[in-house]
């Protein structure tokens, strides 16, 4: 496995070990947590990339999407004659074939919704496999083989579910198409969730039309006997699905959403967070009330995620809604999604992966609703190819509306042309006096250490490590 230390590649390596393969993997480094996890699973870790790692006795080679075609192992793979696979291709061949996929796609909410689906199916005793781009707090890892009973007892047994987070990023350098294309059409009754479509990944999809086209093609690839679950309030997504799907479509929404001429079958009615910090909502299916549901993960966007997961699991896999309600109440969320790291000195410190303006807005709104006392500090590090560009300059100006104080870290990428960069100084000016563009992570640590007070909430928004700010901040405020 070339590039085995990536989140997805590492998880795949461990799954391959679980089904009996002897696995070796190379990468530039094997830092925690992935390095120790690979070694514990029995993966031979080869530091650095070398053509000598590629030998003709290998059964197959999996190449990660971070690997370029001029990598010495990529070149050696091409010359070896050994079969090469992308991560998504390997996942399809070894884990989705013979199973019933539940693919969670969309610009936002994929990881949380995937984790919810895996949890609901597991609690319904359907023994799902899953492959999730994060670490669900209720589950031992982000990936599991699940039950292979169909292969054991014969083809008359129903296939067990396999939940996979369907990333629209490209698969590998020789197959520049979304990974989620490899996850559908495995059988004749795939289930696919599309949470919404907003232009993202501008490094490979230069305009909205190109980006939306990937989801249109996804809709066409879902077999006619399958099911697509789609948010009716997301006009771009709803149109892409409605105009291209051969499969049956189940639309969902929240009460009060503008869904145009679409009447959603599954409807969630958001309710304020209760005194115990739980997020309640009422569920209606086909106009019938199914009762009040509660969950630990707050915010309207998480209610949307929950309604999508409930629809997919109940409508697609026959999970009883009342049983799913009990399971949802014990779902604890995913690390790095509104993840409370601690409350040192009476100051709440959260970690969140949000970087797209819509995700930033929803995350901050949810935390503001949950913690009404004290100030809400939003500390944002733009790191992704999209976040570092001026594409969403105007959208970011309104995304931080729920925060009392906003601090911007320097751009996490230096290779973006100057004329295309997100202008953080201008963004701070547009937001007003409560926002500042900071010169460094050290300066952010110093300002927070001086000005944050007990009762405040700090949320660190980054899809990277944020220079270790999480750990340093917890240490600064004390135990």
């Amino acid at each position: 496995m070339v590039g085995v230390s990536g989140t997805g590649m590492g998880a795949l390596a461990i799954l391959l070990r679980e089904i009996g393969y002897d696995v070796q993997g190379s990468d530039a480094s094997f830092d925690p947590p992935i390095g120790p996890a690979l070694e514990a699973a029995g993966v031979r870790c080869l530091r650095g990339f070398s053509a000598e790692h590629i030998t003709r006795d290998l059964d197959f080679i999996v190449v990660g999407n971070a690997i370029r075609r001029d990598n010495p192992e990529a070149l050696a793979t091409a010359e070896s004659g050994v079969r090469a696979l992308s991560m998504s291709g390997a996942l399809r061949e070894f884990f989705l074939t013979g199973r019933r996929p539940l693919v969670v796609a969309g610009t936002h909410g994929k990881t949380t919704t995937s984790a919810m689906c895996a949890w609901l199916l597991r609690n319904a005793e359907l023994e799902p496999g899953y492959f999730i781009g994060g670490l669900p707090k209720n589950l031992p890892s982000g990936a599991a083989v699940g039950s292979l009973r169909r292969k054991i007892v014969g083809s008359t047994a129903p296939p067990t579910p396999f939940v996979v987070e369907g990333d629209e990023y490209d698969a590998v350098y020789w197959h520049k198409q979304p990974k989620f294309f490899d996850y559908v059409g495995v059988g004749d009754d795939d289930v696919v969730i599309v949470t919404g479509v907003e232009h993202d990944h501008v490094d490979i999809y230069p305009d909205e039309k190109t980006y939306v086209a990937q989801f249109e093609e996804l809709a066409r690839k879902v077999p006619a006997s399958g099911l697509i679950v789609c948010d009716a309030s997301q006009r771009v997504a709803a149109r892409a699905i409605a105009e291209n799907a051969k499969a049956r479509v189940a639309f969902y929404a929240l009460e009060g959403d503008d869904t145009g001429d679409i009447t959603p079958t599954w409807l969630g009615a958001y309710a304020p967070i209760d005194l115990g910090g739980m997020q309640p909502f009422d569920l209606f299916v086909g106009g019938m009330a199914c009762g009040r549901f509660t969950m630990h993960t707050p915010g309207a966007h998480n209610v949307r995620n929950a309604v999508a997961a409930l629809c997919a699991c109940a409508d697609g896999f026959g999970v009883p809604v009342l049983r799913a309600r009990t399971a949802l109440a014990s779902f604890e969320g995913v690390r790095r999604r509104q993840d409370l790291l601690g409350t040192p000195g009476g100051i709440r410190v959260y970690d969140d992966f949000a970087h797209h303006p819509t995700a930033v807005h929803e995350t901050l709104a949810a935390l503001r609703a949950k913690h009404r006392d004290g100030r809400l500090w939003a500390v944002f590090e733009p790191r992704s190819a999209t976040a570092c560009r001026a594409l969403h300059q105007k959208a970011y100006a309104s995304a931080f509306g729920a925060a009392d104080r906003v601090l911007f870290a320097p751009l996490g990428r230096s290779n973006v042309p100057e004329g295309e960069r997100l202008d953080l100084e201008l963004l701070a000016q547009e937001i007003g006096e409560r926002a500042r563009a900071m010169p460094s992570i050290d300066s952010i640590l110093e300002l927070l250490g001086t000005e944050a007070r007990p009762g405040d909430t700090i949320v660190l928004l980054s899809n990277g490590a944020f220079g270790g700010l999480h750990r340093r901040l917890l240490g600064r405020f004390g135990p």
Side-chain angles (χ1 to χ4, degrees):
M1 300 190 69
V2 186
V4 73
S5 285
T7 302
M9 287 284 282
L12 178 62
I14 294 170
L15 291 188
L16 287 168
R17 284 288 297 149
E18 288 185 20
I19 61 172
Y21 278 94
D22 180 20
V23 182
Q24 68 180 36
S26 57
D27 216 316
S29 63
F30 291 89
D31 299 326
I34 190 62
L38 290 170
E39 291 178 350
V43 176
R44 293 199 307 280
C45 298
L46 308 173
R47 189 173 297 276
F49 299 107
S50 170
E52 295 179 358
H53 295 157
I54 305 301
T55 55
R56 295 182 185 275
D57 61 336
L58 295 168
D59 293 300
F60 58 92
I61 301 166
V62 184
V63 182
N65 79 329
I67 301 302
R68 297 183 178 182
R69 64 177 68 247
D70 60 355
N71 179 289
E73 292 187 21
L75 295 171
T77 296
E79 295 173 358
S80 70
V82 177
R83 190 163 65 107
L85 297 167
S86 65
M87 184 193 78
S88 54
L91 191 63
R92 179 189 181 102
E93 179 172 333
F94 296 104
F95 299 100
L96 295 183
T97 300
R99 309 290 285 274
R100 190 171 178 214
L102 195 174
V103 183
V104 183
T107 309
H108 309 296
K110 293 187 293 292
T111 302
T112 298
T113 307
S114 298
M116 283 180 175
C117 289
W119 184 245
L120 297 182
L121 293 170
R122 191 175 190 226
N123 278 269
E125 299 181 0
L126 295 183
E127 302 176 275
Y130 49 87
F131 194 82
I132 301 167
L135 181 59
K137 295 179 182 179
N138 296 75
L139 301 171
S141 68
V145 175
S147 173
L148 299 173
R149 66 174 181 270
R150 185 180 187 185
K151 295 180 181 179
I152 296 173
V153 301
S155 60
T156 57
T160 52
F162 197 100
V163 180
V164 56
E165 182 174 333
D167 184 8
E168 68 269 28
Y169 211 78
D170 57 2
V172 70
Y173 65 82
W174 70 80
H175 185 61
K176 305 294 282 185
Q177 292 187 324
K179 296 184 189 74
F180 57 41
F181 286 174
D182 282 325
Y183 303 151
V184 293
V186 175
D188 58 6
D189 56 357
D190 303 340
V191 178
V192 174
I193 295 173
V194 178
T195 61
V197 178
E198 285 191 84
H199 188 201
D200 200 2
H201 302 308
V202 297
D203 50 331
I204 58 173
Y205 303 119
D207 53 53
E208 183 181 38
K209 182 178 180 181
T210 307
Y211 184 76
V212 174
Q214 313 310 311
F215 291 88
E216 294 172 340
E217 181 62 18
L218 174 66
R220 290 190 287 269
K221 286 179 176 293
V222 180
S225 299
L227 169 68
I228 302 178
V229 177
C230 182
D231 189 340
S233 72
Q234 300 293 308
R235 295 297 185 89
V236 175
R239 184 170 61 250
I241 300 306
E243 294 178 357
N244 293 279
K246 302 189 296 282
R248 179 169 62 90
V249 180
F251 285 107
Y252 69 94
L254 296 189
E255 185 179 47
D257 282 346
D258 180 1
T259 60
D261 58 357
I262 297 173
T263 301
T265 306
W266 291 71
L267 189 70
Y270 175 85
I273 295 170
D274 63 27
L275 295 176
M278 295 289 282
Q279 173 65 70
F281 66 95
D282 297 315
L283 181 69
F284 300 86
V285 180
M288 299 291 292
C290 296
R292 174 146 288 198
F293 289 61
T294 60
M295 57 185 181
H296 291 277
T297 51
H301 65 299
N302 277 319
V303 174
R304 290 185 189 280
N305 295 337
V307 175
L310 290 164
C311 175
C313 292
D315 201 346
F317 294 88
V319 176
V321 172
L322 294 182
R323 186 166 188 170
R325 179 172 68 177
T326 301
L328 185 65
S330 62
F331 177 71
E332 296 178 3
V334 180
R335 296 195 186 280
R336 303 215 67 193
R337 272 68 175 179
Q338 296 181 32
D339 191 6
L340 181 61
L341 302 179
T343 56
I347 299 171
R348 307 177 195 93
V349 180
Y350 280 89
D351 180 22
D352 198 279
F353 197 75
H355 50 283
H356 188 283
T358 299
V360 170
H361 174 271
E362 295 290 352
T363 297
L364 295 177
L367 290 175
R368 179 76 285 173
K370 185 171 185 177
H371 302 300
R372 295 181 177 86
D373 61 313
R375 294 172 297 174
L376 176 60
W377 295 76
V379 187
F380 179 54
E381 181 189 36
R383 285 189 61 87
S384 70
T386 301
C388 286
R389 284 175 164 81
L391 175 69
H392 296 305
Q393 182 84 40
K394 292 183 179 179
Y396 277 127
S398 58
F400 294 89
D404 299 292
R405 296 290 303 276
V406 183
L407 303 178
F408 295 118
L411 294 182
R413 295 185 180 222
S414 58
N415 60 346
V416 179
E418 187 172 353
E420 299 178 16
R421 293 177 192 170
L422 179 68
D423 189 331
L424 294 173
E425 291 288 351
L426 176 61
L427 184 56
Q429 292 174 19
E430 291 173 339
I431 293 174
E433 293 182 355
R434 59 193 177 92
R436 289 180 61 180
M438 304 297 289
S440 67
I441 292 175
D442 286 344
S443 65
I444 293 174
L445 178 64
E446 185 61 31
L447 189 148
L448 288 171
T450 303
E451 296 191 16
R453 302 190 296 264
D456 285 358
T457 299
I458 300 172
V459 55
L460 305 177
L461 302 159
S462 173
N463 68 335
F466 215 146
L469 183 58
H470 310 79
R471 171 183 50 78
R472 297 169 68 191
L473 198 57
L474 291 172
R476 177 67 180 259
F477 292 135

